């Protein structure tokens, strides 16, 4: 019979993908005790290892590239018209309002970006709403996983690989914890 391990933290982040990793990093950098549960055996299995980049507006990267067309209004209109009414406008506003901060956090973590125009060597795409919001992450695969793990450890995130969140623990209707399981069947 395996024993159950109990940990305490300010926050437990479930999933080491892009959103989970950025959230864990931000909280730990603010001095919070953070546990990050990642079901894979490394960050190479997370969605963050495979995505090409993210859409953003009014970021420091865009300012250095001279990209001015990718402002919040233009990107909001592009995203909502592309989705033909099948998108949550409040969620899009949160995404756009947070994109500059996310870019700053990713830069602080050690990631670098390219514009689509850099990849295809055509400057005209810097002022094209189809491509100018893209922040392509230069680090890829194993390199990206290594940058991510190093950054999270640097700020003190307790990373638990091979560990999946299974059930929220509630007290008086509030989430106060999570039951998790390791790949080997241990309870956390």
């Amino acid at each position: 019979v395996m024993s159950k391990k109990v940990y305490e933290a300010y926050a437990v982040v479930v999933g080491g993908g892009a959103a989970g990793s950025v959230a864990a990093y931000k909280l730990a950098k603010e001095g919070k005790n953070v546990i990050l549960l990642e079901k894979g055996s490394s960050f190479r299995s997370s969605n963050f290892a495979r995505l090409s980049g993210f859409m953003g507006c009014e970021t420091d990267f865009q300012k250095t590239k001279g990209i001015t067309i990718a402002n919040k209004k233009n990107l909001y209109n592009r995203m909502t018209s592309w989705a033909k009414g099948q998108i949550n406008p409040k969620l899009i506003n949160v995404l756009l309002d947070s994109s500059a901060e996310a870019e700053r956090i990713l830069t602080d973590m050690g990631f670098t970006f390219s514009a689509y125009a850099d990849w295809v060597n055509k400057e005209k795409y810097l002022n094209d709403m189809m491509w100018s919001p893209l922040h392509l992450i230069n680090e890829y695969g194993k390199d990206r996983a290594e940058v991510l793990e190093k950054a999270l450890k640097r700020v003190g995130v307790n990373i638990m690989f091979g560990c999946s969140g299974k059930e929220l623990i509630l007290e008086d209707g509030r989430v106060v914890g999570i039951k998790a399981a390791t790949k080997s069947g241990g309870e956390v």
Side-chain angles (χ1 to χ4, degrees):
V1 174
M2 293 196 169
S3 63
K4 179 170 46 171
K5 292 185 180 180
V6 177
Y7 297 87
E8 288 197 29
Y10 174 83
V12 177
V13 177
V14 180
S21 294
V22 167
Y25 182 86
K26 181 180 179 192
L27 288 169
K29 188 132 191 211
E30 293 171 355
K32 308 289 194 269
N33 178 12
V34 180
I35 297 172
L36 175 63
L37 305 179
E38 169 52 47
K39 67 182 175 185
S41 58
S42 77
F43 286 118
R44 291 180 76 179
S45 63
S46 77
N47 72 344
F48 186 59
R50 294 192 266 303
L51 73 109
S52 57
F54 68 96
M55 301 284 273
C57 63
E58 303 169 9
T59 66
D60 293 339
F61 170 74
Q62 288 168 325
K63 289 172 188 165
T64 63
K65 297 299 283 182
I67 297 170
T68 58
I69 193 171
N71 60 43
K72 182 179 176 186
K73 179 183 175 192
N74 289 345
L75 189 49
Y76 177 88
N77 289 339
R78 170 132 180 86
M79 293 174 89
T80 54
S81 66
W82 175 82
K84 297 179 173 78
Q86 301 298 311
I87 199 166
N88 181 330
K90 289 181 183 177
L91 188 58
I92 294 303
N93 274 318
V94 169
L95 167 79
L96 298 176
D97 287 343
S98 304
S99 65
E101 180 184 17
E103 182 261 345
R104 282 190 296 276
I105 291 169
L106 289 167
T107 299
D108 190 56
M109 291 172 87
F111 293 104
T112 59
F113 307 100
S114 291
Y116 181 76
D118 299 327
W119 279 33
V120 296
N121 202 23
K122 293 187 179 175
E123 199 169 303
K124 69 179 182 179
Y125 290 113
L126 290 175
N127 289 307
D128 182 324
M129 271 310 292
M130 176 78 171
W131 305 107
S132 62
L134 270 178
H135 293 66
L136 301 170
I137 301 171
N138 293 327
E139 297 73 23
Y140 188 74
K142 182 180 178 192
D143 292 339
R144 187 178 300 175
E146 288 173 359
V147 169
L148 180 59
E149 187 169 350
K150 185 178 176 183
L152 291 168
K153 285 181 176 178
R154 184 177 70 238
V155 294
V157 174
N158 178 3
I159 305 165
M160 299 177 75
F161 290 115
C163 194
S164 300
K166 296 296 180 188
E167 181 183 339
L168 295 177
I169 301 169
L170 301 173
E171 284 181 11
D172 298 324
R174 291 183 52 231
V175 176
V176 296
I178 187 164
K179 292 180 183 180
T182 65
K183 284 189 175 185
S184 60
E187 288 185 28
V188 180

